[in-house]
């Protein structure tokens, strides 16, 4: 668990290639489009792919017969969306069916919204619990079918007036990392993570990332600067967070950018402010933590909006190369090209102190459920990121966690690492590893 960035790259810089259902097609033979889509084979970034031009309205799809094989939830589609605003409020579905009637199927609905509606390359995948069933569809019946079908279905935004293209690079079964990563971190720099959280992690030889906000440092509930420097010296990694005092998230800066002229200028200076403070205080000895960002409250665009590139542009202009959401979307996709998803990394857990929740992967039994989900994702060869905040004996909000429950999680993570099934990494190490592919 104490490996450095170079060691992490050497350890995981390999994708175990899966069965291609669709990969670098030479022509459109066997590919069927419906609902007014037009298709052609093009080359983008040196890779052949299917270019789909979507109609303005109506549900449309691309489907084909994949190889006969044993199928389960471990299927990933890599697609690039030109203008995701065309799908805002709609969705992209990944469907496996017994035949081309699609009456009996398993499907995963990837809803497009401000939480994850970004332009560029997306990895469409899901944990088993997020796939739903129609008719008599099951993985057993699909695997037993003589004519299984794979489908990508696209539902546009209501009243859409935007023409968009989607490029389908590949759909692959059981592609995995040879050694997936486990990232553990805490947002905001609460002193309880320093006093209670770090000793628990270090008991198991684990490192964490710490999302840095400049203004509250030294306040009654927050780490002091000596705390921060000590944590970094002990091997934990500081990454950039926010916001400035008086602001909760980047949406507020975009809505009211004063005294800056534009939302882009405001967001840029907000991010720069916290990054420069972190660097100036000597908290980034590797020069890599400054390239990693944690979205305040998880927001990267205005409410109800998809495809707003303001924050992404600011991050690019400032030299950032990795960013984390607060969206529960399970694992980090495997494969040669993480694409734009490296700027929208999801998390594997958020609520620890409640018995029920409405998260997309509801932690109905909380800690045991979270541990089981992490174990399954690691078994599937997919990396995971965990986010914590405050550690206290009696949690008062859902995001809190008790020392005892944090200990249970860390013990389970350490078991996976000690068994050689995963590696404890930091955001900059994840970034370095994926860039090396």
């Amino acid at each position: 668990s104490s490996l450095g960035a170079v060691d992490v790259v050497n350890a995981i810089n390999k994708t175990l290639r899966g069965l291609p259902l669709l990969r670098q097609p030479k022509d459109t033979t066997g590919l069927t489009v419906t609902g007014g889509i037009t298709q052609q084979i093009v080359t983008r970034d040196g890779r052949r792919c299917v270019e789909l031009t979507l109609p303005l309205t109506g549900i449309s799809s691309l489907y084909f017969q994949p190889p006969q094989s044993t199928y389960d939830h471990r299927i990933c589609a890599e697609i690039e969306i030109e203008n995701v605003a065309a799908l805002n409020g709609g969705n992209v579905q990944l469907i496996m069916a017994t035949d081309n009637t699609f009456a009996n199927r398993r499907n995963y609905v990837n809803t497009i919204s401000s939480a994850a509606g970004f332009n560029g390359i997306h990895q469409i995948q899901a944990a088993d619990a997020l796939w739903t069933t129609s008719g008599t569809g099951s993985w057993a019946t699909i695997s037993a079918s003589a004519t299984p079908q794979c489908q990508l279905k696209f539902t546009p935004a209501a009243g859409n007036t935007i023409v968009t293209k989607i490029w389908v690079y590949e759909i692959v079964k059981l592609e995995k990392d040879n050694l997936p990563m486990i990232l553990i971190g805490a947002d905001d720099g609460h002193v309880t993570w320093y006093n209670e959280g770090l000793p628990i992690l270090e008991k198991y030889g684990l490192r964490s990332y710490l999302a840095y906000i400049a203004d509250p440092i030294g306040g009654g509930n927050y780490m002091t600067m000596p705390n921060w420097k000590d944590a970094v010296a002990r091997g934990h990694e500081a990454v950039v967070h926010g916001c400035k005092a008086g602001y909760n998230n980047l949406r507020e800066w975009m809505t009211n950018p004063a005294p800056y002229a534009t939302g882009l200028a405001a967001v840029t200076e907000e991010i720069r402010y916290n990054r420069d403070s972190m660097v100036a205080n000597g908290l980034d000895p590797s020069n890599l933590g400054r390239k990693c960002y944690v979205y305040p409250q998880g927001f990267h665009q205005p409410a109800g909006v998809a495809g707003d590139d303001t924050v992404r542009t600011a991050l690019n202009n400032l030299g950032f190369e990795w960013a984390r959401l607060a969206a529960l979307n399970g694992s980090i996709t495997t494969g040669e090209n993480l694409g734009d998803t490296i700027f929208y990394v999801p998390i594997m857990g958020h609520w620890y102190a409640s018995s029920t929740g409405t998260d997309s992967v509801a932690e109905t039994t909380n800690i045991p459920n979270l541990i089981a989900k992490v174990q399954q994702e690691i078994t599937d060869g997919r990396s995971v990121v965990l986010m914590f905040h405050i550690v206290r004996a009696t949690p008062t909000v859902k995001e809190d966690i008790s020392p005892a429950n944090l200990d249970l999680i860390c013990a389970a993570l350490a078991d996976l690492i000690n068994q050689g099934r995963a590696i404890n990494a930091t955001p900059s190490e994840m970034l370095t590893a994926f860039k090396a592919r």
Side-chain angles (χ1 to χ4, degrees), residues 243-386:
C243 284
K244 294 181 181 179
Y247 289 83
N248 295 307
N249 56 64
L250 300 180
R251 285 178 175 174
E252 295 178 4
W253 278 115
M254 286 184 273
T255 301
N256 181 21
Y260 304 100
T262 65
L264 176 59
V267 168
T268 300
E269 290 310 308
E270 156 62 42
I271 297 171
R272 190 199 312 272
Y273 173 80
N274 284 288
R275 181 201 63 183
D276 288 357
S277 172
M278 187 184 87
V279 172
N281 282 292
L283 301 179
D284 186 24
S286 70
N287 298 324
L288 293 173
R290 69 192 67 185
K291 295 179 179 292
C292 301
Y293 190 69
V294 170
Y295 296 109
Q297 296 187 336
F299 300 141
H300 60 92
Q301 53 192 340
V305 173
D308 186 294
D309 290 326
T310 301
V311 176
R312 174 66 181 274
T313 300
L315 290 172
N316 285 338
N317 290 345
L318 291 169
F320 285 82
E321 300 180 37
W322 184 97
R324 199 217 71 200
L325 297 170
L328 285 104
N329 198 32
S331 57
I332 311 305
T333 307
T334 61
E336 293 297 319
N337 187 2
L338 195 62
D340 297 271
T341 56
I342 196 70
F343 278 92
Y344 306 98
V345 173
I347 59 173
M348 172 59 75
H350 191 192
W351 290 359
Y352 308 100
S354 64
S355 59
T356 61
T358 57
D359 292 328
S360 59
V361 282
E363 294 169 2
T364 53
T365 55
N366 288 308
I367 307 307
N369 191 34
L370 175 68
I371 291 171
K373 286 185 291 185
V374 171
Q375 291 168 334
Q376 183 62 59
E377 295 303 287
I378 296 302
T379 297
D380 292 346
R382 298 171 175 174
S383 298
V384 297
V385 177
L386 288 91

Side-chain angles (χ1 to χ4, degrees), residues 202-226:
E202 291 169 355
K203 180 173 73 171
Y204 294 101
L206 301 171
R207 297 168 300 149
S208 67
Y209 65 90
L210 300 163
Y212 178 91
I213 311 175
D215 287 351
I217 289 176
N221 297 319
Y222 293 90
M223 293 165 58
T224 64
M225 187 54 65

Side-chain angles (χ1 to χ4, degrees), residues 13-184:
N13 186 26
K14 182 179 180 182
T15 297
L16 303 179
R17 303 301 265 170
L19 172 69
L21 282 61
L22 177 70
R23 178 178 274 159
Q24 299 221 36
K26 295 180 180 178
D27 53 49
T28 59
T29 301
L31 302 179
T32 300
V33 291
T34 67
I37 283 180
T38 61
Q39 66 169 326
Q40 64 175 330
I41 303 300
V42 300
T43 299
R44 290 176 64 81
D45 297 326
R47 293 189 295 167
R48 288 192 307 273
C49 58
V50 186
E51 180 182 271
L52 306 174
T53 302
L54 271 58
L56 294 177
T57 60
I59 299 173
S60 55
S61 72
L62 164 76
Y63 71 90
F64 58 93
Q65 182 177 349
Q68 284 188 273
S69 180
T70 300
Y71 289 108
D72 58 26
H73 70 280
R74 292 172 293 182
I75 298 170
C76 176
E78 181 188 324
I79 68 174
E80 182 178 359
I81 305 177
E82 179 185 43
N83 192 336
V84 77
L87 298 167
N88 189 23
N91 57 67
V92 177
Q93 295 189 50
L94 178 58
I95 300 171
M96 294 295 294
T98 57
D99 57 51
N100 62 12
T101 69
F102 293 96
N104 303 310
R105 66 184 186 271
R106 296 275 285 167
N107 63 294
Y108 167 57
V109 180
N110 182 241
T111 301
I112 305 298
S113 68
S114 59
F118 55 89
N119 297 323
I121 293 176
H122 292 241
Q123 305 281 2
I124 308 297
Q125 68 169 5
D128 194 24
L130 299 183
W131 288 79
T132 58
T133 300
S134 294
T136 59
S138 69
W139 294 122
T141 58
I142 292 165
S143 297
S145 173
T147 58
Q149 298 289 321
C150 179
Q151 181 182 39
L152 284 170
K153 183 180 286 188
F154 309 101
T155 303
N160 176 49
T161 59
I162 301 169
V163 174
T164 192
K165 296 182 186 295
I166 291 182
W167 295 275
V168 182
Y169 289 97
E170 57 186 40
I171 305 176
V172 186
K173 164 198 164 183
L174 196 54
E175 195 145 285
K176 59 193 299 184
D177 288 336
N178 65 317
L179 191 60
M181 289 168 276
I182 297 174
L183 279 65
I184 312 160

